[in-house]
Amino acid sequence: MNDEGRKPQRLAFVAFVLLFLLIVSLGLMQPSIRISGLSVQFTEIVFICLLPFAVTLAWRNRSSLKIDTAVYPIGSYFITLFAATVFSPTIDTSIGKFAGVCYLSLLALVVPLILRDRIALERIVATWIVVSTIVSSIGVFAAVLFIVFGSNPLSPIFLHGFGSLPVGNYPRIQSTFVYPAMLCNYLTVSVCLTIFAYLKGRLDRSFWPVIVVHILAAMLTLTPGLGGFIFALAIGACFIPKMHTDRRRTNIAVSIGIFAVIGSIALSAKAPWHISSAFYMNGATVETFNVGPRLLTWIGAFAAMLDKPIFGAGVGNAVTSVMFTTGLGQNRLLTDAHNSWLNIGAQAGLPGFIALVWVTVHFGRRALRAIRSANASLGFSAAFGVAFLSAFVAQGFVGSFEDARHLWVLMGLIVAAERLEQLEHG
């Protein structure tokens, strides 16, 4: 092979190595630096290096490259948030946040350009599982240390405060993440990949230790996102051969998953324990409610979206103002909607809200198609589909995960897997 033929292969190899490093970095949210008031991980430098290689590969393969339909909803999301940035009352803050929107949008589009064969896709999945197992193990280890020895030097790093939960002598983990909710969201995707890797014979004796440590770590996050995590376990269980052929068991599993999601939303709206001083501030008006703070953030964000329906409050700006007092007597101010669609709707108006709904519907339909397909030769299309419905959709009702890097990479994996299956089946 001449040098001209080797050059694209070298580009593809380097791009894959950088994507591999990016997947590794998804489980590392600490340490980080602050830029324009935003938290930026040191590992983001990997994407800066990856992008030019991906663009070069796309240009060299332009004759055989087919534009995926995902470009349209992602493009609309990009455009609406760009408009909200331009017309933002605090444009300096919005520009920094919009840079993150560009980054996330490109993640979903770049991943399919690099994953051009089944082996590469399976290696990426294996890497994800290994990293998430390490992240889970760190969290569980920190929890065990706390239970045995009480507060220790690792507690401030890997454990989190109680938030709106009742105060008690129990650990709540965040592991290598900044918040337990984001850790739970990441582990929700990971547990889907782990289940399907086992079903496809990629994991043998290591499956049970891996799945158990994931479940323990997720449960110890103690977040409303556990409803989506249980949904992922329930739907994943439906693909076990004995379950898959038994309609009654499958229906029970699906019902458990749906009930868990509905229950998590209900608990977020009105917790069964008392949360003191949960109140909503609207200018000089202060109204006190004995409800879950999340319900007040939803109401506040929805009101903000209707108040500025065209361009919103500006990308990256506060969309609500909810205060509550923790069991330790600390006052906490929530300015985030704690709901992906309302958060974007309040920041970018109704156009932004509709654009994110379009992204959700687009990938949701692809996810359902992959789950229903009985001839998915790659095996991981259904895994990506269950992960999207669990982490992006189900957990999106109780948390703002529209900026989660791993979810945008997941969208890219959905596109890559679907394209490879189409190539294999002609």
Side-chain angles (χ1 to χ4, degrees), residues 115-402:
L115 295 180
R116 310 292 292 182
D117 62 76
R118 181 197 297 207
I119 295 175
L121 181 65
E122 292 183 348
R123 285 176 179 172
I124 287 299
V125 171
T127 303
W128 190 312
I129 294 173
V130 169
V131 173
S132 67
T133 302
I134 294 172
V135 171
S136 299
S137 300
I138 290 172
V140 172
F141 178 70
V144 171
L145 282 183
F146 179 85
I147 293 171
V148 176
F149 300 106
S151 184
N152 58 80
L154 294 182
S155 297
I157 303 173
F158 302 122
L159 300 184
H160 198 78
F162 299 110
S164 59
L165 293 172
V167 176
N169 190 30
Y170 59 87
R172 185 188 184 202
I173 71 170
Q174 64 186 31
S175 189
T176 57
F177 283 69
V178 180
Y179 299 106
M182 191 63 78
L183 171 62
C184 184
N185 188 265
Y186 173 73
L187 295 181
T188 299
V189 178
S190 303
V191 79
C192 293
L193 303 186
T194 301
I195 291 172
F196 279 84
Y198 171 72
L199 293 176
K200 292 298 174 182
R202 304 297 186 270
L203 292 173
D204 190 12
R205 294 180 180 179
S206 60
F207 171 72
W208 285 109
V210 169
I211 198 71
V212 167
V213 77
H214 275 83
I215 293 174
L216 285 175
M219 293 302 173
L220 287 170
T221 61
L222 299 173
T223 72
L226 284 172
F229 183 82
I230 295 172
F231 178 84
L233 288 176
I235 302 303
C238 292
F239 287 85
I240 297 174
K242 290 183 179 179
M243 289 278 289
H244 194 63
T245 55
D246 190 326
R247 180 61 64 88
R248 185 178 65 87
R249 291 183 180 181
T250 300
N251 291 338
I252 291 173
V254 172
S255 299
I256 290 173
I258 294 174
F259 179 79
V261 173
I262 295 173
S264 69
I265 297 173
L267 281 175
S268 298
K270 181 65 175 75
W273 56 86
H274 178 72
I275 300 175
S276 69
S277 304
F279 56 84
Y280 171 65
M281 296 178 290
N282 184 13
T285 304
V286 177
E287 296 181 73
T288 303
F289 303 88
N290 182 24
V291 296
R294 272 181 170 82
L295 177 59
L296 298 182
T297 62
W298 300 340
I299 295 172
F302 184 72
M305 179 172 63
L306 297 183
D307 184 53
K308 297 180 179 179
I310 306 302
F311 298 113
V315 176
N317 289 333
V319 299
T320 188
S321 185
V322 174
M323 182 78 77
F324 72 96
T325 304
T326 68
L328 295 174
Q330 301 167 324
N331 291 325
R332 295 289 175 85
L333 177 65
L334 303 179
T335 58
D336 176 87
H338 288 74
N339 178 291
S340 297
W341 303 278
L342 289 177
N343 203 44
I344 290 300
Q347 292 180 58
L350 287 173
F353 176 82
I354 294 171
L356 188 58
V357 169
W358 188 7
V359 170
T360 306
V361 171
H362 176 85
F363 284 98
R365 290 179 61 185
R366 296 176 83 146
L368 289 172
R369 186 165 61 237
I371 292 170
R372 290 169 179 166
S373 175
N375 301 313
S377 59
L378 289 176
F380 289 109
S381 290
F384 300 147
V386 175
F388 181 82
L389 295 178
S390 304
F392 193 92
V393 180
Q395 293 183 341
F397 286 103
V398 293
S400 299
F401 298 115
E402 73 279 358

